Amino acid sequence: RLDSWNLLDIRIEKVFRFGERVNAVVAGDIFNVFNVDTMIESASTRGLSEDFMLPARIEAPRRLQVVLKLRY
């Protein structure tokens, strides 16, 4: 059994309108805000293995995504 996950993601979004039919969306996403190294998968779940409960995969580090979307 792995530890529970505690992750926080944030999105900030602003819509700009150009007339009645066209608008643009500018957004920013921050994933893993607190930069927590949460173990997602262990190398082995067998008790006799040398890799027992060692991390095989951890949550990606903090990352930022910028979005520009045009709707018409």
Side-chain angles (χ1 to χ4, degrees), residues 30-59:
I30 303 173
F31 302 103
N32 194 4
V33 171
F34 298 121
N35 206 26
V36 179
D37 292 332
T38 302
M39 183 169 56
I40 297 174
E41 181 182 348
S42 65
S44 174
T45 56
R46 298 176 190 226
L48 300 176
S49 172
E50 292 179 10
D51 296 334
F52 179 66
M53 292 306 289
L54 291 177
R57 227 176 53 169
I58 61 171
E59 176 64 29

Side-chain angles (χ1 to χ4, degrees), residues 2-72:
L2 300 175
D3 296 334
S4 59
W5 293 23
N6 294 308
L7 296 175
L8 177 65
D9 300 333
I10 294 177
R11 179 181 185 96
I12 298 171
E13 181 176 293
K14 175 70 177 160
V15 178
F16 297 95
R17 302 199 185 281
F18 303 102
E20 292 184 22
R21 301 190 61 183
V22 178
N23 60 40
V25 178
V26 177
D29 298 313
I30 303 173
F31 302 103
N32 194 4
V33 171
F34 298 121
N35 206 26
V36 179
D37 292 332
T38 302
M39 183 169 56
I40 297 174
E41 181 182 348
S42 65
S44 174
T45 56
R46 298 176 190 226
L48 300 176
S49 172
E50 292 179 10
D51 296 334
F52 179 66
M53 292 306 289
L54 291 177
R57 227 176 53 169
I58 61 171
E59 176 64 29
R62 181 184 307 123
R63 53 205 187 276
L64 174 69
Q65 172 178 290
V66 178
V67 178
L68 175 59
K69 190 181 332 182
L70 183 63
R71 298 182 193 160
Y72 54 93

